[in-house]
Amino acid sequence: ARGYYMLGEIHYYRKKYEDAIAYFKKSASLYSKASYMPVLMLHTAISMDELGDTSNAKKFYSAVITKYSKGASAKIARKKIKKIQ
């Protein structure tokens, strides 16, 4: 799971968002309780947002805010979701 997450991060930072989403999805399906899950979900949302899929991006931003309300990822998600509402 961690390997897929890391591959997703590489693609995310290279702005290859479709590939990043695919790797994040595979990682999450293998181990949904990983410590990196808040960042994975946030980067999935941002990737969707960048690809113009604002509907799903909002769902992921909301999930980050709900599940990880006190973390840094939730803080970023709150700012991002305001921009697309």
Side-chain angles (χ1 to χ4, degrees), residues 3-79:
Y4 285 111
Y5 166 69
M6 296 308 291
L7 287 169
E9 286 290 279
I10 290 166
H11 288 284
Y12 172 81
Y13 284 106
R14 289 182 177 173
K15 300 186 187 303
K16 295 184 178 186
Y17 299 116
E18 288 178 7
D19 293 333
I21 292 168
Y23 283 114
F24 291 149
K25 184 176 180 180
K26 181 68 174 172
S27 175
S29 73
L30 293 172
Y31 187 44
S32 63
K33 298 187 187 307
S35 62
Y36 52 78
M37 198 54 63
V39 175
L40 181 149
M41 291 177 65
L42 176 65
H43 286 180
T44 299
I46 293 170
S47 296
M48 291 172 169
D49 204 354
E50 289 290 329
L51 291 171
D53 186 0
T54 55
S55 175
N56 281 318
K58 282 183 190 179
K59 290 175 188 175
F60 270 81
Y61 287 137
S62 294
V64 172
I65 293 164
T66 302
K67 290 183 179 187
Y68 310 104
S69 62
K70 304 222 185 279
S73 293
K75 184 177 179 181
I76 294 167
R78 283 185 195 94
K79 289 179 184 177

